Amino acid sequence: SGRYKKMVVKLPKTKAGRRTIRLDARSVVLLQEHMKTRMKSGNAGSRFMFGIGEEFPDRFAIYYAFRRLCKNSGLPVIRLHDLRHTHATLLFALGVNPKVVSERLGHASIGITLQIYGHVLPAMESDAVDKFDRLLG
């Protein structure tokens, strides 16, 4: 335990990090159902909802729950943080504007996003050429 830093809830590093992230209707319904289940079990406000400056009582609970979910779903076990990268990469692959991706990730500037995910964009170049060709007809 001594070699791990304690995890404390903190405000995001930049103003851009303090943001509202819009979700699709299906995700909202799933989160609402999950919350109802937690309330019925008497577990509504515990474990994963903390205020600024509060320490996580079990810093590995989320990690192990996610790991179990991956294994039970037959998916490769990845780091929870890798979901953030997967989300950004899929948005780029769908042709979402890099500024929108940057805002969803809470980056202070689009330059940070392009520096991290710039390797994804060249793979999309042939799609851009095809679209431009269709535009010119």
Side-chain angles (χ1 to χ4, degrees):
S1 279
R3 66 181 223 211
Y4 296 106
K5 292 182 183 178
K6 68 180 179 179
M7 292 182 65
V8 176
V9 179
K10 296 180 183 177
L11 286 172
K13 293 182 276 186
T14 66
K15 189 175 180 181
R18 290 177 223 129
R19 65 206 184 278
T20 299
I21 301 170
R22 293 181 61 180
L23 297 174
D24 60 280
R26 183 180 357 184
S27 296
V28 171
V29 168
L30 288 171
L31 287 170
Q32 288 170 336
E33 288 173 2
H34 175 71
M35 201 55 166
K36 284 178 191 172
T37 301
R38 289 176 64 93
M39 283 194 249
K40 284 179 185 174
S41 70
N43 204 14
S46 66
R47 291 188 85 151
F48 305 131
M49 296 177 205
F50 303 99
I52 303 303
E54 289 186 57
E55 185 177 345
F56 279 62
D58 184 354
R59 64 182 175 262
F60 296 112
I62 296 171
Y63 166 76
Y64 287 119
F66 178 68
R67 185 181 166 107
R68 234 182 356 266
L69 181 64
C70 289
K71 286 182 177 182
N72 292 342
S73 301
L75 297 169
V77 175
I78 60 173
R79 298 174 307 155
L80 192 56
H81 187 75
D82 292 335
L83 291 178
R84 175 182 169 85
H85 296 295
T86 300
H87 179 67
T89 302
L90 290 173
L91 290 176
F92 279 124
L94 291 169
V96 174
N97 185 302
K99 177 69 175 154
V100 173
V101 177
S102 181
E103 289 172 359
R104 285 188 67 81
L105 295 174
H107 289 160
S109 75
I110 191 172
I112 294 168
T113 308
L114 294 175
Q115 185 178 5
I116 296 169
Y117 296 98
H119 66 283
V120 176
L121 299 175
M124 297 166 33
E125 186 175 2
S126 63
D127 183 49
V129 170
D130 291 343
K131 285 180 180 178
F132 193 70
D133 182 48
R134 284 194 301 275
L135 175 71
L136 296 178

